Amino acid sequence: MKIVHLVQHTHWDREWYFTENDSKAVLYYFMDDLFQRLEEDKTLGPFVLDGQTVVIEDYLSVAPHQETRLRQLIEQGRIVIGPWYTQSDFLVVGAESITRNLLLGHADCQCFGGTMPIGYVPDSFGQSAQLPMFLQQFAIDYAVIWRGWSEHNVAHSEFSWQAADGSKVTTAVLPWGYGCAKWLPDNPQTAQKTLEPILEKQTRFSLTDHVLLPNGNDQSPFEYRVPAMLEQLNPQQDDYRFVRSSFSQFFQALESANVTLPVYQGEFLSPKYMRIHRGIFSTRIDIKQLNARLERTLSQHLEPLLAVNWRLGLPYPQHAVDNIWREAMKSHAHDSIGGCNSDRVNAMVKNRLESGLEMANQLIDLNMKMLAEGITAQQDGKKIIIFNAHPQMSAGLLELTIFTPEQDFRVVDSEGKECRWQIVEEGRQDMSIIVQELSNSTETTWYRKCCLLLEVANIPACGYQTLYLQEGINAGFEQQAKSINKLENAWLRLEVDEQGILTLTDKRSQQSYHNILQLVDGGDAGDNYNYSPPFDDWLINSNGFLTSISGTQGALQSALTLSWKIAVPQDLAARREQRADAVLDITMTITLADSNAWLDVAISVNNTVRDHRLQVLLPTAAQSHIHFADQPFGLIERQNLPSEMAVWQDEQWTEAPVALYPMQSQVMMYDAQRGLCAVTEGLREYQIPQNRQDVIAVTLLRSVGWLGQANMPYRPGRASGMVLPSPDSQIQGMHYFKLSVLAMNHGADNAFWRNVERARGNLHAWLATGWSRFRTNPHGRTFPPHFSVLSWDTELHFSVLKKAQHRDALVVRGWNPSAQPLQRGVPETHGEIMPATLAETALEAQPDTVPTCAPATFVITF
């Protein structure tokens, strides 16, 4: 006889085709009903509140008077909450976002008296191979997941899931989803007929006689009659014994069965039984880019700056920072960040991210102003603060915008030594927009607006250095730009022919990459969930559509700018007829700095056409059947051609397992002789084309007009979501993309990884003009002209420097980007150093090396 563990729950989408305002209204009555049922019948429960504490936050925003009632049911274990703040998508959002999700979710649970010790992920569109690591860092030993699993990964629905760093969690799959036993009849005889096919499917892959039966669905009311009905059904049949249970009780029973669990290592992207919607990695790319920019601004700039200023005696606005993270994570649910929503909801998602970025940038501006105010000047001129978030002394190039009435100026350090710079863009600026005092003037004050590339050196680790802008003084070096028709430095040469076809040569290995950075436009007959090529697609590349090319060589870097007017179809109807009745205006600027072994690429696209996808190609010519991409806190190996492509149609999978993959910001393919790597800003999707297995195609944008559609080549059958028009998802208008391209001459060695980290950027500049939109009183503190909180001699990549969540201490974190263990090292500082988990608790073991795909965190108390 099989033991069926009834787990009652709700799955709460905050937004989807409906808004968060809709869901809050429904939540008010849902919770009122749930309280009433649990209080009337003490035998009911526990009830799983979808594993996300934001549901509590939303509910109390509309029913604050019910907090005591809710708190009592949580303390009694009748309602179980957490461990997450929101049900995030784990393949699109960043590592620090996932960490904060658990950190803030746990904090909420502690306030309400209990945490569900289960990594419950019921509806993420695929599962990250890193989930076991994240859970173990928060002392969570179990996971319950849905989408992405099939027997092609692991034969049973219960197994030990192991991350690359060795972390393991006991995992149970809901093979048919969290809603497989929804809306059960009250009558035992009727319910038995309903349950027979459900339980046959639930037990098909079960390793033991213990089976999960999740009872609940999207925003669905508590089915409070089901437990009593199942108890009546128990004596009426001999195949199953139904028990009121929880996920924790199920895992206890699984362990008591004393079976050896199979071990699986890797991600879950298999759409055999459930769609994982691979198109969400590039849907609404404007939202993806905005989210990536906010994540990076918070963890790589704002939090490190606040940490440094806190050590100098300025306040750390912890609650304000937490609120920015919380608002961002409200946009991280699978539908929200996936962009598979109604247009109204996508607008709300975007607004939250924009609001967070506004708040973060204002905090940066105010803290830079306070920092500059306290520094005693060592030279004449306006102070320029060069801030280095990373825990190693840094040098390199960074961007700085200045406004000046002078034709001449120079930048010097504290000793008066001149720094080199290059103007990359210049224009005029109406200063009444910048300076509040000028806004009421009757005359317009015009200044030069110069976007500079500034060369700096010896910037202290986790700290800053002060430079000075001296206006009216001629710079003491040659700045004259000259025209060029190729890019070249000590490492690379990039040549272009009259058609605009680019060839990159790696001078270190003499390997060439022809037709690199080619643009390809194809149709997209899909929806917000899935890219789908038309049944008969017409691919158009950029060759032959070049309208202009220009090149300049400056003091610090050289640039080539190419412009195309690519004749393309206006929509799917025109593409079917192979009628190029529209134009894509695209400009690409490729820069090569004298000191860098990589290309920086900026692409602008005026998207005026519909139902299409635009990609940029990196032809590696590498002899390899695998490639690598980054994932949260690590690297993952993937097949160029998934083996499941050979069977998906015969086995009637829900979706084609095409080589359309997510990344955080990096993808690379290489062999012993050659290879290419792309490091992107906010581009989360790439593809290995089935007919060109040595090419990496990075998706720039895709335009579709429907939330859901039926019967697509890559996703046959019913529509996903709702069949609703979403014209805003055509994302018309101007779009801007950035990526860096690295040629790989020695594979993924230490020098390569250092260049990847440098290509991502690690320095920030701020000019103390004396102008400010908002006035503040002087703080009266004095700061040194240069300062470092700590330094850390490590090959790990930087993740964050911030104040600890619950104590007066600092947290610094790095992670191993490579496929090999790296030396951990120990930060050098005056404080007490404690190796810690992501949860900011003491780490029991203190190894000398950091495994692949693992973070290394230190808590430092001063």
Side-chain angles (χ1 to χ4, degrees), residues 708-839:
Q709 290 200 95
N711 296 316
M712 299 188 293
Y714 281 176
R715 200 193 69 207
R718 66 171 178 84
S720 287
M722 308 290 287
V723 182
L724 291 175
S726 59
D728 288 355
S729 293
Q730 298 283 6
I731 55 171
Q732 304 290 275
M734 291 299 302
H735 296 273
Y736 303 91
F737 310 101
K738 287 186 177 181
L739 66 151
S740 299
V741 178
L742 294 86
M744 303 179 70
N745 65 314
H746 283 140
D749 61 2
N750 286 345
F752 164 79
W753 285 115
R754 283 193 289 272
N755 281 336
V756 168
E757 182 78 326
R758 287 181 59 214
R760 289 194 175 111
N762 58 0
L763 297 170
H764 307 276
W766 190 84
L767 176 63
T769 62
W771 311 320
S772 179
R773 186 184 304 173
F774 303 106
R775 291 186 175 275
T776 56
N777 283 329
H779 51 65
R781 294 179 175 85
T782 301
F783 307 138
H786 55 84
F787 180 71
S788 173
V789 168
L790 61 89
S791 64
W792 185 8
D793 183 15
T794 179
E795 293 287 339
L796 300 176
H797 281 194
F798 175 68
S799 186
V800 76
L801 170 70
K802 71 181 193 75
K803 187 175 178 295
Q805 192 69 35
H806 302 297
R807 67 182 108 171
D808 284 341
L810 289 183
V811 171
V812 64
R813 181 158 39 248
W815 57 281
N816 183 352
S818 74
Q820 306 297 326
L822 293 177
Q823 289 295 314
R824 184 186 63 170
V826 178
E828 294 185 12
T829 186
H830 298 297
E832 180 182 339
I833 301 171
M834 178 186 77
T837 65
L838 293 178

Side-chain angles (χ1 to χ4, degrees), residues 632-670:
F633 289 140
L635 192 70
I636 190 162
E637 176 186 310
R638 292 182 175 129
Q639 295 176 309
N640 295 352
L641 179 63
S643 58
E644 295 86 356
M645 282 296 289
V647 301
W648 82 276
Q649 288 175 307
D650 290 340
E651 294 184 1
Q652 297 183 322
W653 287 32
T654 65
E655 184 181 302
V658 294
L660 189 63
Y661 292 117
M663 61 177 166
Q664 292 284 291
S665 64
Q666 179 184 353
V667 56
M668 59 187 182
M669 185 188 297
Y670 64 94

Side-chain angles (χ1 to χ4, degrees), residues 170-382:
T170 301
T171 304
V173 174
L174 304 174
W176 313 102
Y178 56 81
C180 65
K182 62 188 176 187
W183 308 327
L184 292 176
D186 297 340
N187 180 273
Q189 288 73 36
T190 306
Q192 184 172 4
K193 294 179 181 179
T194 302
L195 282 166
E196 283 175 0
I198 295 172
L199 290 171
E200 187 279 324
K201 292 168 73 175
Q202 286 296 96
T203 59
R204 189 178 301 171
F205 301 106
S206 182
L207 186 63
T208 72
D209 287 336
H210 292 275
V211 183
L212 278 172
L213 187 68
N215 172 229
N217 200 46
D218 300 352
Q219 292 75 236
S220 186
F222 179 29
E223 297 181 47
Y224 62 95
R225 295 189 180 93
V226 167
M229 177 274 292
L230 291 178
E231 288 182 359
Q232 294 177 48
L233 186 57
N234 272 330
Q236 298 179 23
Q237 47 80 48
D238 299 322
D239 296 325
Y240 305 103
R241 181 164 66 86
F242 299 96
V243 296
R244 305 184 189 200
S245 192
S246 66
F247 291 130
S248 294
Q249 289 171 292
F250 169 80
F251 283 115
Q252 290 172 7
L254 187 65
E255 290 175 355
S256 68
N258 200 27
V259 297
T260 301
L261 296 174
V263 178
Y264 175 76
Q265 182 174 321
E267 61 189 349
F268 289 104
L269 293 178
S270 175
K272 180 173 182 178
Y273 298 111
M274 66 296 291
R275 296 167 173 178
I276 61 166
H277 303 307
R278 291 177 189 244
I280 69 150
F281 310 140
S282 57
T283 299
R284 286 302 300 258
I285 196 62
D286 55 334
I287 288 176
K288 304 293 190 301
Q289 289 178 296
L290 187 59
N291 177 66
R293 188 156 67 249
L294 176 56
E295 289 178 322
R296 185 171 177 81
T297 299
L298 283 169
S299 62
Q300 304 272 305
H301 193 178
L302 174 60
E303 289 180 318
L305 173 61
L306 292 176
V308 169
N309 281 6
W310 180 66
R311 289 298 300 143
L312 290 169
L314 294 173
Y316 194 106
Q318 182 73 63
H319 195 70
V321 175
D322 285 350
N323 281 346
I324 300 174
W325 277 113
R326 286 180 184 271
E327 288 301 301
M329 286 185 283
K330 289 175 183 177
S331 294
H332 287 174
H334 54 284
D335 293 315
S336 302
I337 197 63
C340 40
N341 310 292
S342 66
D343 282 347
R344 165 67 175 148
V345 170
N346 280 332
M348 296 174 77
V349 169
K350 190 171 183 178
N351 180 67
R352 279 197 296 268
L353 297 171
E354 288 174 334
S355 296
L357 199 56
E358 285 174 352
M359 180 73 165
N361 285 330
Q362 187 58 241
L363 286 170
I364 289 170
D365 195 59
L366 289 170
N367 274 269
M368 281 295 196
K369 178 177 178 289
M370 288 187 288
L371 180 58
E373 175 191 315
I375 295 173
T376 302
Q378 307 294 299
Q379 296 286 331
D380 292 335
K382 296 173 180 174

Side-chain angles (χ1 to χ4, degrees), residues 361-465:
N361 285 330
Q362 187 58 241
L363 286 170
I364 289 170
D365 195 59
L366 289 170
N367 274 269
M368 281 295 196
K369 178 177 178 289
M370 288 187 288
L371 180 58
E373 175 191 315
I375 295 173
T376 302
Q378 307 294 299
Q379 296 286 331
D380 292 335
K382 296 173 180 174
K383 298 170 197 169
I384 302 173
I385 308 299
I386 309 298
F387 185 80
N388 176 21
H390 287 214
Q392 296 88 32
M393 182 174 285
S394 294
L397 305 176
L398 73 163
E399 296 178 353
L400 171 67
T401 299
I402 67 168
F403 305 99
T404 178
E406 302 291 342
Q407 186 60 36
D408 295 322
F409 59 85
R410 69 174 188 167
V411 177
V412 299
D413 64 15
S414 294
E415 279 73 48
K417 181 181 177 181
E418 189 162 358
C419 302
R420 294 199 305 161
W421 48 265
Q422 176 181 336
I423 296 178
V424 294
E425 187 178 350
E426 182 174 354
R428 292 205 311 163
Q429 178 66 53
D430 176 2
M431 295 307 293
S432 66
I433 299 173
I434 307 294
V435 185
Q436 187 178 16
E437 287 81 355
L438 296 177
S439 61
N440 295 323
S441 174
T442 58
E443 296 182 3
T444 303
T445 302
W446 292 100
Y447 274 24
R448 294 173 69 199
K449 178 181 180 181
C450 300
C451 298
L452 304 182
L453 193 67
L454 179 64
E455 183 179 56
V456 298
N458 301 322
I459 309 303
C462 293
Y464 64 86
Q465 179 67 274

Side-chain angles (χ1 to χ4, degrees), residues 645-707:
M645 282 296 289
V647 301
W648 82 276
Q649 288 175 307
D650 290 340
E651 294 184 1
Q652 297 183 322
W653 287 32
T654 65
E655 184 181 302
V658 294
L660 189 63
Y661 292 117
M663 61 177 166
Q664 292 284 291
S665 64
Q666 179 184 353
V667 56
M668 59 187 182
M669 185 188 297
Y670 64 94
D671 59 24
Q673 284 74 44
R674 56 190 291 124
L676 292 173
C677 170
V679 178
T680 71
E681 292 187 18
L683 300 175
R684 299 297 212 207
E685 178 186 281
Y686 69 93
Q687 183 175 19
I688 309 300
Q690 195 164 349
N691 61 344
R692 299 183 67 185
Q693 293 288 291
D694 61 350
V695 171
I696 300 169
V698 177
T699 304
L700 298 179
L701 61 81
R702 72 185 197 96
S703 301
V704 292
W706 291 89
L707 173 54

Side-chain angles (χ1 to χ4, degrees), residues 32-247:
D32 186 70
D33 177 73
L34 176 64
F35 293 169
Q36 178 185 340
R37 306 303 178 184
L38 291 174
E39 289 165 351
E40 287 177 350
D41 185 348
K42 304 298 184 185
T43 67
L44 291 175
F47 184 88
V48 178
L49 204 57
D50 204 35
Q52 51 176 336
T53 60
V54 72
V55 179
I56 295 174
E57 184 179 300
D58 283 349
Y59 174 62
L60 293 179
S61 72
V62 294
H65 59 288
Q66 298 285 25
E67 181 175 343
T68 301
R69 199 176 174 196
L70 172 61
R71 189 180 294 275
Q72 287 175 346
L73 289 167
I74 293 171
E75 291 173 349
Q76 294 167 7
R78 311 280 306 288
I79 292 177
V80 291
I81 61 172
W84 306 100
Y85 175 63
T86 60
Q87 280 289 349
S88 175
D89 184 280
F90 295 93
L91 299 174
V92 176
V93 303
E96 284 297 330
S97 289
I98 298 170
T99 301
R100 308 313 169 86
N101 202 318
L102 279 168
L103 201 61
L104 293 174
H106 271 70
D108 291 346
C109 291
Q110 290 170 8
C111 288
F112 280 88
T115 306
M116 182 173 70
I118 309 293
Y120 183 52
V121 185
D123 208 15
S124 183
F125 291 152
Q127 310 294 334
S128 170
Q130 291 289 75
L131 186 59
M133 180 275 296
F134 279 102
L135 296 178
Q136 280 289 278
Q137 290 267 328
F138 281 81
I140 298 172
D141 296 325
Y142 308 102
V144 175
I145 63 173
W146 180 28
R147 300 179 192 269
W149 170 91
S150 81
E151 71 273 22
H152 289 272
N153 304 118
V154 58
H156 296 285
S157 53
E158 299 83 32
F159 52 91
S160 180
W161 188 6
Q162 179 175 312
D165 75 333
S167 303
K168 288 183 180 179
V169 292
T170 301
T171 304
V173 174
L174 304 174
W176 313 102
Y178 56 81
C180 65
K182 62 188 176 187
W183 308 327
L184 292 176
D186 297 340
N187 180 273
Q189 288 73 36
T190 306
Q192 184 172 4
K193 294 179 181 179
T194 302
L195 282 166
E196 283 175 0
I198 295 172
L199 290 171
E200 187 279 324
K201 292 168 73 175
Q202 286 296 96
T203 59
R204 189 178 301 171
F205 301 106
S206 182
L207 186 63
T208 72
D209 287 336
H210 292 275
V211 183
L212 278 172
L213 187 68
N215 172 229
N217 200 46
D218 300 352
Q219 292 75 236
S220 186
F222 179 29
E223 297 181 47
Y224 62 95
R225 295 189 180 93
V226 167
M229 177 274 292
L230 291 178
E231 288 182 359
Q232 294 177 48
L233 186 57
N234 272 330
Q236 298 179 23
Q237 47 80 48
D238 299 322
D239 296 325
Y240 305 103
R241 181 164 66 86
F242 299 96
V243 296
R244 305 184 189 200
S245 192
S246 66
F247 291 130

